[in-house]
């Protein structure tokens, strides 16, 4: 799989658009499809903030290889502090396959897969993950405004 480079302007635009779509209308609660877009809004925003801190304008293939979908890695590189840290691990219900129970534990950076494929987090809960990501998104807004 090749990694395509993206400019800071593209990442900022994606952050703004995804943030808007990830926020449901008044009276509607955020569900996992919204949360998936929230995850991607945070990812794009963090990468744009990282570029700004590095005084660069292109998130290239080396950067993509270094970070992947690791929000935790980018937050660490940005040195934002403990207040914006994200959990390291997550846990879903186990699944049964051919009479074998398969545990589903993963890294927080796999959260986009959970929400994309219809999973539900037990620890931290989907709502807890959403709150943590929203806090990071609020910080990004201050950085990129």
């Amino acid at each position: 799989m090749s990694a395509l480079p993206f400019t800071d302007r593209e990442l900022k635009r994606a952050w703004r658009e995804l943030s808007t779509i990830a926020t449901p209308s008044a009276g509607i609660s955020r569900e996992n499809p919204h949360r998936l877009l929230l995850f991607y809004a945070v990812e794009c925003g963090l990468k744009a903030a990282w570029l700004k801190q590095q005084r660069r304008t292109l998130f290239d293939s080396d950067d993509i290889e270094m970070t992947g979908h690791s929000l935790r890695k980018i937050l660490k590189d940005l040195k934002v502090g403990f207040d914006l840290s994200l959990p390291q691990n997550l846990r879903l219900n186990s699944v049964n396959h051919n009479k074998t129970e398969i545990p589903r534990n993963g890294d927080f950076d796999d959260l986009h897969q959970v929400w994309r494929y219809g999973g539900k987090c037990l620890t931290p809960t989907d709502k807890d993950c959403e709150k943590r990501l929203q806090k990071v998104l609020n910080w990004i807004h201050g950085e990129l405004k």
Side-chain angles (χ1 to χ4, degrees), residues 10 16 20 30 34 38-39 75 77 79 83 88 92 120 127 131 137 139:
E10 290 170 317
R16 282 190 302 272
T20 300
R30 194 182 261 153
H34 297 109
L38 173 64
F39 181 96
L75 283 167
D77 287 351
K79 298 177 175 64
D83 193 42
Q88 185 170 345
L92 287 70
K120 301 280 184 193
K127 188 72 172 168
K131 287 177 184 176
L137 192 65
W139 176 85

Side-chain angles (χ1 to χ4, degrees), residues 17-142:
E17 291 173 355
L18 288 164
S19 296
T20 300
I21 295 169
T23 305
S25 304
I28 299 174
S29 64
R30 194 182 261 153
E31 298 297 331
N32 284 0
H34 297 109
R35 291 178 180 129
L36 176 61
L37 297 176
L38 173 64
F39 181 96
Y40 289 130
V42 168
E43 180 179 359
C44 292
L46 285 176
K47 289 176 178 179
W50 184 84
L51 282 175
K52 180 180 175 183
Q53 187 181 77
Q54 300 292 315
R55 293 181 168 84
R56 294 180 38 209
T57 58
L58 187 68
F59 201 82
D60 63 26
S61 58
D62 290 340
D63 302 323
I64 295 164
E65 187 173 316
M66 176 185 68
T67 61
H69 290 284
S70 181
L71 306 182
R72 296 180 76 246
K73 166 85 171 99
I74 302 167
L75 283 167
K76 183 178 177 184
D77 287 351
L78 286 167
K79 298 177 175 64
V80 297
F82 181 77
D83 193 42
L84 291 176
S85 66
L86 297 172
Q88 185 170 345
N89 300 307
L90 52 83
R91 185 173 60 83
L92 287 70
N93 281 328
S94 299
V95 293
N96 292 309
H97 182 70
N98 294 332
K99 299 182 182 179
T100 302
E101 188 170 311
I102 303 169
R104 295 191 294 169
N105 303 313
D107 294 333
F108 187 85
D109 297 328
D110 296 326
L111 183 59
H112 63 101
Q113 292 181 53
V114 174
W115 290 340
R116 184 171 64 229
Y117 297 130
K120 301 280 184 193
C121 290
L122 296 177
T123 309
T125 67
D126 291 328
K127 188 72 172 168
D128 292 338
C129 293
E130 172 189 338
K131 287 177 184 176
R132 297 296 282 274
L133 289 173
Q134 185 63 53
K135 193 171 187 178
V136 174
L137 192 65
N138 294 344
W139 176 85
I140 292 167
H141 182 72

